[in-house]
Amino acid sequence: MKYCYGVDIGGTTVKMGLFEETGKILDKWEIVTRIEDEGKAILPDIAASILEKTQAHGLEKSEILGIGAGVPAPVTAEGVVNGSANLGWNYKEVKRELEELTGMDALIGNDANVAALGEMWKGGGAGQKNLVMITLGTGVGGGVIVNGKVITGEHGAGGEVGHICVNYDETDVCGCGNRGCLEQYASATGIVRLAKKRLAVETRDTVLKKESVTAKDVFDAVKAGDAVAVSVAEEFGRYLASGLINLAVIADPAVFVIGGGVSKAGEVLIPFIQKPYREKAFFSNREIEFKLATLGNDAGICGAAKMILDA
Amino acid sequence: MKYCYGVDIGGTTVKMGLFEETGKILDKWEIVTRIEDEGKAILPDIAASILEKTQAHGLEKSEILGIGAGVPAPVTAEGVVNGSANLGWNYKEVKRELEELTGMDALIGNDANVAALGEMWKGGGAGQKNLVMITLGTGVGGGVIVNGKVITGEHGAGGEVGHICVNYDETDVCGCGNRGCLEQYASATGIVRLAKKRLAVETRDTVLKKESVTAKDVFDAVKAGDAVAVSVAEEFGRYLASGLINLAVIADPAVFVIGGGVSKAGEVLIPFIQKPYREKAFFSNREIEFKLATLGNDAGICGAAKMILDA
């Protein structure tokens, strides 16, 4: 039996898993992400933790196929990151450093891409080889998988689906500097923005009229039948559908997997996205399925391990 | 030495080439496309022509690696077409029929995807493995190549870049039934539409004020310094750039290759597209190169042959 590690490096914690080559998870744990001093301790901390676990499980390095790791940044094919705001990193040769620190092979991917691979392997997209995962979190990330392989792109920026333009009339500026990016409407932050805009002009009574509103509040109110919240959800769904329609004519996947914090609202989300999608999608792509992500926080470690097992 | 055939099935003619496995073209010819009676003679005509050429060149079937063919329709991974308006076909098992008719292996692809493969092999994208080709003809087609492989998609509709939405305010309807598709602005027909709209409100003098205007007239006038034609070209470029920006955040190619009839205008086209692209592209994708296609009518047969050589 051979083994591998799946690592999901986030801005707060690093999630880690030890996998059998069969895909079975033997151990799962997390450590704190020390982002101070340009995040220089992050990779040494991960390496120390992995070496310790290898010993604790009585494994030899020769039994470890490698370490897969997802990071919140574009990653080149050589495993290089040119800066990650969340981790404090500037230019960093992640693959090389991690290999030197552990004496094991490493493969590095963008975290949203890696999560997509995880959902294809064991989650909402299981059994498919053409899928698009949309991660609706603080921002909107994604992974586009074609024939079982993630589109990494020439500059490590493949699948940056949060920056598809879905509104050429937008006046507010996205974090990237453009206007009208999907992220401005379909992220948790974007949903709050839509809710605030709606509340500013809304005359109907609604539970959303309170001090501060979250994306969760919006979907909780939708479930409680609040008409204003339904309007916000419809607007969210229309913009997300516009993004997915543009994705579909390019990648033509079998399934869209919707993940990230916003997707915790559950099945209530799907009709808001699927209805406008079906109305406007290019005819060849109209029947693409919509699924919720199912792995939650494990998508990253699973996808990271899968990179190694597929290599 | 082994050989293969590259076939490009168009609505008027079928272009064909006999290739050495080295990539050298030994022979190149074309036959008429007989689209009557639901195009039932097209594949038998192609098969007869191939068998005849095989004999004329003194080749044995065992020396032929296979036949690659591009068709103007979405094609499934199994080489099935579910209808091609240009060829008169309804459901057709193109791969199976061509193999039965010739006794040779066949691989079938969408014509725009196949042309992209040709340009990557021997044309404007030579040396690259991540490229997007945009074919600006009567419509707008395209091919998205990731790691050397065309994105075919789950329903054979990958790379249908002409139907990216670039204007959510459009009132005119695209051939596909939607509004605001790239094809409505960047095809030869779309450029004429933009020119007519401009001429209807234009007070400046222009050589475009005449009985009928073609896309070629517009770019000829641009070359002659006609200010109105420049305005039309700028509008064309802005919409095309919007489509490419959305493509880039998904596929992140190294190069955009611009082909099709409209691209015969030459290098004059590029700044009209590249300037608005660079202004608005997601920062990771801003430096993607723009190149003109160089193979012209040979892109299809080259790409079709390349499918066989890569198989």
Side-chain angles (χ1 to χ4, degrees):
Chain A
M1 177 69 71
K2 298 278 185 180
Y3 305 85
C4 70
Y5 287 99
V7 179
D8 181 12
I9 312 180
T12 312
T13 60
V14 180
K15 297 177 183 69
M16 294 194 263
L18 171 60
F19 292 74
E20 284 186 357
E21 60 187 326
T22 61
K24 188 178 163 195
I25 302 181
L26 292 181
D27 197 352
K28 210 170 79 174
W29 70 102
E30 54 184 70
I31 62 174
V32 168
T33 310
R34 293 198 288 155
I35 60 172
E36 59 270 24
D37 295 333
E38 298 179 346
K40 70 177 181 191
I42 297 173
L43 292 178
D45 285 354
I46 291 169
S49 183
I50 282 175
L51 292 172
E52 192 185 298
K53 282 286 176 182
T54 305
Q55 198 168 32
H57 285 271
L59 299 173
E60 299 294 327
K61 276 191 192 181
S62 60
E63 294 175 282
I64 310 292
L65 294 167
I67 304 164
V71 302
V75 182
T76 71
E78 294 72 35
V80 173
V81 166
N82 284 300
S84 169
N86 292 346
L87 304 182
W89 289 352
N90 298 312
Y91 175 88
K92 191 168 280 284
E93 298 179 6
V94 185
K95 175 182 162 69
R96 188 187 56 75
E97 279 194 37
L98 201 53
E99 289 183 340
E100 284 177 10
L101 288 163
T102 59
M104 300 172 186
D105 289 338
L107 288 173
I108 317 300
N110 167 268
D111 58 356
N113 288 349
V114 166
L117 210 50
E119 288 289 340
M120 180 184 73
W121 186 27
K122 297 180 161 212
Q128 300 296 346
K129 57 188 180 35
N130 294 311
L131 79 87
V132 170
M133 181 169 172
I134 306 287
T135 306
L136 308 175
T138 312
V140 171
V144 180
I145 299 183
V146 171
N147 269 329
K149 300 278 179 199
V150 170
I151 300 186
T152 305
E154 190 72 18
H155 315 89
E160 282 285 355
V161 300
H163 301 284
I164 294 174
C165 186
V166 294
N167 181 3
Y168 291 99
D169 301 323
E170 181 59 71
T171 51
D172 289 355
V173 178
C174 177
C176 77
N178 284 335
R179 291 174 167 85
C181 293
L182 178 57
E183 184 159 296
Q184 291 182 275
Y185 310 92
S187 63
T189 328
I191 293 166
V192 169
R193 197 178 70 95
L194 291 178
K196 283 183 177 163
K197 288 200 158 197
R198 163 71 56 176
L199 289 170
V201 298
E202 186 58 55
T203 54
R204 288 175 292 178
D205 196 30
T206 165
V207 298
L208 297 179
K209 282 203 171 147
K210 53 178 196 167
E211 192 86 349
S212 76
V213 174
T214 65
K216 183 174 184 305
D217 292 336
V218 171
F219 286 103
D220 284 348
V222 166
K223 289 176 198 167
D226 187 286
V228 173
V230 168
S231 299
V232 174
E234 283 172 349
E235 205 175 352
F236 150 86
R238 268 199 306 275
Y239 284 115
L240 181 48
S242 292
L244 298 182
I245 287 167
N246 279 347
L247 258 164
V249 289
I250 297 167
D252 186 21
V255 58
F256 291 117
V257 178
I258 313 292
V262 173
S263 74
K264 289 183 187 159
E267 290 291 340
V268 68
L269 273 180
I270 302 293
F272 287 105
I273 312 164
Q274 188 165 316
K275 184 167 174 289
Y277 176 85
R278 293 256 157 104
E279 282 169 12
K280 292 282 182 71
F282 185 61
F283 59 90
S284 305
N285 312 121
R286 216 161 273 169
E287 300 306 318
I288 294 173
E289 277 187 275
F290 285 75
K291 302 248 188 182
L292 290 172
T294 62
L295 298 180
N297 286 335
D298 287 350
I301 60 169
C302 289
K306 182 68 170 151
M307 280 198 292
I308 296 294
L309 297 177
D310 279 353
Chain B
M1 178 68 72
K2 298 277 186 180
Y3 306 85
C4 70
Y5 288 99
V7 179
D8 181 13
I9 313 181
T12 311
T13 60
V14 180
K15 297 178 184 66
M16 294 194 262
L18 171 61
F19 292 74
E20 282 186 357
E21 61 186 325
T22 62
K24 188 179 163 193
I25 303 182
L26 292 181
D27 197 352
K28 212 171 78 174
W29 70 101
E30 53 183 69
I31 62 174
V32 168
T33 310
R34 293 197 287 154
I35 61 172
E36 60 269 25
D37 295 333
E38 299 179 345
K40 70 176 181 192
I42 297 173
L43 293 178
D45 285 354
I46 292 169
S49 182
I50 282 175
L51 292 173
E52 193 185 297
K53 282 286 176 181
T54 305
Q55 199 168 32
H57 284 271
L59 299 173
E60 299 295 327
K61 276 191 192 181
S62 60
E63 294 175 281
I64 311 292
L65 294 167
I67 304 164
V71 302
V75 182
T76 71
E78 292 73 35
V80 173
V81 166
N82 284 299
S84 168
N86 292 346
L87 304 182
W89 289 352
N90 297 313
Y91 175 88
K92 190 169 279 287
E93 297 179 7
V94 184
K95 175 182 162 66
R96 189 185 56 75
E97 278 193 38
L98 201 53
E99 289 183 340
E100 285 178 8
L101 287 163
T102 59
M104 299 172 187
D105 289 337
L107 287 173
I108 318 300
N110 168 269
D111 57 356
N113 288 348
V114 165
L117 209 50
E119 288 289 339
M120 181 183 73
W121 187 28
K122 298 182 163 211
Q128 300 296 347
K129 58 187 181 33
N130 294 310
L131 79 86
V132 170
M133 181 170 173
I134 306 286
T135 305
L136 308 175
T138 313
V140 171
V144 180
I145 299 183
V146 171
N147 269 328
K149 300 278 179 197
V150 170
I151 301 186
T152 304
E154 190 74 17
H155 315 89
E160 281 285 355
V161 300
H163 301 283
I164 294 174
C165 186
V166 294
N167 180 2
Y168 291 99
D169 301 323
E170 180 59 72
T171 50
D172 290 354
V173 178
C174 176
C176 77
N178 284 337
R179 291 176 168 82
C181 293
L182 178 57
E183 184 160 295
Q184 291 182 275
Y185 311 91
S187 63
T189 329
I191 293 166
V192 169
R193 196 178 70 94
L194 292 178
K196 283 184 177 162
K197 288 201 156 194
R198 164 71 56 177
L199 289 171
V201 297
E202 186 58 56
T203 53
R204 288 174 292 178
D205 197 30
T206 166
V207 300
L208 297 179
K209 281 206 169 142
K210 54 179 196 166
E211 193 85 349
S212 75
V213 174
T214 65
K216 183 173 185 306
D217 292 336
V218 171
F219 286 102
D220 284 348
V222 165
K223 289 176 199 167
D226 187 286
V228 173
V230 168
S231 299
V232 175
E234 283 172 349
E235 204 176 354
F236 150 85
R238 268 199 307 275
Y239 284 115
L240 181 47
S242 293
L244 297 182
I245 287 167
N246 280 346
L247 258 164
V249 289
I250 298 167
D252 185 23
V255 58
F256 291 117
V257 178
I258 313 291
V262 172
S263 74
K264 289 183 189 160
E267 290 291 340
V268 68
L269 273 180
I270 302 292
F272 287 106
I273 312 165
Q274 189 165 316
K275 184 168 175 289
Y277 177 84
R278 293 256 157 103
E279 282 169 11
K280 293 283 183 71
F282 186 61
F283 58 91
S284 304
N285 312 120
R286 217 161 271 168
E287 300 306 318
I288 295 173
E289 278 187 276
F290 285 75
K291 302 249 190 185
L292 290 172
T294 62
L295 298 180
N297 286 334
D298 287 351
I301 60 169
C302 289
K306 183 69 170 149
M307 281 198 291
I308 296 293
L309 297 176
D310 279 353

